[in-house]
Amino acid sequence: FLMNQPKPVRKAVFPVAGLGTRFLPATKSIPKEMLPIVDKPLIQYAVEEALEAGIDTLIFVTSRNKHAISDHFDTAFELQTRLAQDGKTGLLQRINQIVPDEVNLVYVTQPEALGLGHAILCAETIVGDEPFAILLADDMIRNDGPGALAQMVDLYRESGASVIGVEEIPDEMTTSYGVVGVEVNDQGRSAIHTMVEKPVPEDAPSRLGVVGRYVLDPAVFSYLHGVTAGSGGEIQLTDGIAAMLQTHPVLALPFEGERYDCGSRHGFIKATIDYAIDHDDIRDDMLDHMSDLLEQF
């Protein structure tokens, strides 16, 4: 591990150029990251998690047609003026400064959808020679305490090693995840020694599946440049990190919190129900409705 104090993690990359085909036809015109969980889009939950972790530069790797994301974080002057004139201060507060003024927002276009690794490479010149975070908005992580990224940044600060968020997955799900093999190091942390992309259960090195949270050393860029593109010309982030394991330590962190796979319809609906119950103004109506539904089955 690095002996010197590591640089602070100030930048976060949000890959948002995907097509969101599981949610067609809705995502024909709306980026999947803009689909709402109750009253906030997925991307806003991810941004709020990053801000809590001390991130001050948000880098969105987007496609040519996804203007809705930048519009969401931009000032809506006419709307804000109308709300102020109508005295709707509560609503005004909810949309005013979703991102604080001191936080930088950068938008980078990914010309083609060539994999997550390629999307991260598109942000290389903005990230530079600094450690950085990656958040996939599809993975919502709900916490009562510090958010998942804040937990990971703390571990990076303590260890100087890259950190990948993981969770225990059932045997039948290994073919849907990158899976890591770990061993406990001298500091009592789970050091990753191997990564396998979507293995069958008998070939999986563990039951620790990688989820959409990373804190990475910038050295990963040089390894991503050396990754051979797979089917469809895609460059996988997992392959770049696996190559980096030979020279840079990477830790696995089973973070605290409940993860929702909002890239699936089931996970998206589950998150919507759970978050709705957290809203005082609609909780009772939601519970009454679900009780009525259960009586019908």
Side-chain angles (χ1 to χ4, degrees):
F1 290 94
L2 303 178
M3 298 303 293
N4 297 326
Q5 182 71 21
K7 294 180 180 179
V9 182
R10 299 173 45 251
K11 298 177 180 178
V13 178
F14 300 85
V16 292
L19 297 175
T21 53
R22 292 182 186 177
F23 288 92
L24 286 170
T27 48
K28 181 175 181 289
S29 59
I30 301 171
K32 65 177 178 178
E33 296 83 8
M34 287 300 297
L35 295 175
I37 300 296
V38 185
D39 53 10
K40 288 193 293 190
L42 286 168
I43 189 63
Q44 185 172 336
Y45 288 98
V47 163
E48 289 173 353
E49 182 182 332
L51 296 177
E52 182 210 11
I55 300 298
D56 62 22
T57 300
L58 311 174
I59 305 166
F60 300 91
V61 181
T62 185
S63 61
R64 291 185 299 273
N65 300 318
K66 288 199 172 183
H67 304 298
I69 293 174
S70 57
D71 289 346
H72 179 69
F73 292 108
D74 198 0
T75 300
F77 180 76
E78 291 182 2
L79 175 60
Q80 291 173 222
T81 300
R82 181 62 179 270
L83 291 175
Q85 290 173 346
D86 293 346
K88 297 180 179 179
T89 55
L91 290 174
L92 180 61
Q93 187 175 9
R94 289 169 65 182
I95 67 167
N96 191 27
Q97 286 197 317
I98 294 174
V99 175
D101 289 338
E102 63 271 18
V103 173
N104 300 309
L105 290 85
V106 182
Y107 297 91
V108 180
T109 300
Q110 184 182 17
E112 296 181 77
L114 297 178
L116 179 57
H118 180 263
I120 302 308
L121 280 173
C122 291
E124 180 179 11
T125 57
I126 309 299
V127 171
D129 189 27
E130 296 183 33
F132 66 104
I134 301 171
L135 297 93
L136 306 187
D138 285 0
D139 284 325
M140 283 187 66
I141 302 172
R142 185 183 185 199
N143 299 87
D144 293 327
L149 187 64
Q151 297 171 43
M152 295 169 64
V153 168
D154 284 345
L155 179 54
Y156 168 80
R157 189 180 298 118
E158 295 167 5
S159 66
S162 296
V163 183
I164 296 178
V166 299
E167 69 175 4
E168 289 276 354
I169 58 174
D171 288 353
E172 64 271 17
M173 294 298 293
T174 61
T175 54
S176 299
Y177 288 80
V179 181
V180 299
V182 301
E183 56 187 18
V184 178
N185 63 21
D186 294 340
Q187 289 77 36
R189 300 177 176 121
S190 297
I192 298 174
H193 59 76
T194 187
M195 296 183 70
V196 183
E197 185 66 23
K198 299 180 179 179
V200 295
E202 54 269 29
D203 294 337
S206 74
R207 292 299 178 264
L208 293 176
V210 175
V211 300
R213 297 294 184 275
Y214 308 79
V215 176
L216 298 178
D217 187 284
V220 72
F221 289 117
S222 63
Y223 290 96
L224 282 171
H225 281 295
V227 168
T228 301
S231 61
E234 292 194 348
I235 297 172
Q236 299 299 334
L237 177 61
T238 300
D239 293 339
I241 298 173
M244 187 173 71
L245 291 174
Q246 305 303 316
T247 55
H248 291 74
V250 183
L251 303 177
L253 179 65
F255 51 80
E256 296 179 6
E258 181 176 3
R259 168 183 167 264
Y260 298 88
D261 177 11
C262 291
S264 70
R265 289 178 296 175
H266 171 263
F268 182 85
I269 294 169
K270 181 180 178 183
T272 299
I273 293 171
D274 286 1
Y275 275 74
I277 292 173
D278 277 347
H279 283 62
D280 294 339
D281 57 334
I282 59 175
R283 177 188 300 113
D284 290 343
D285 288 341
M286 283 292 302
L287 292 175
D288 288 344
H289 178 61
M290 287 188 286
S291 178
D292 291 342
L293 285 176
L294 290 172
E295 290 180 359
Q296 299 175 28
F297 293 96

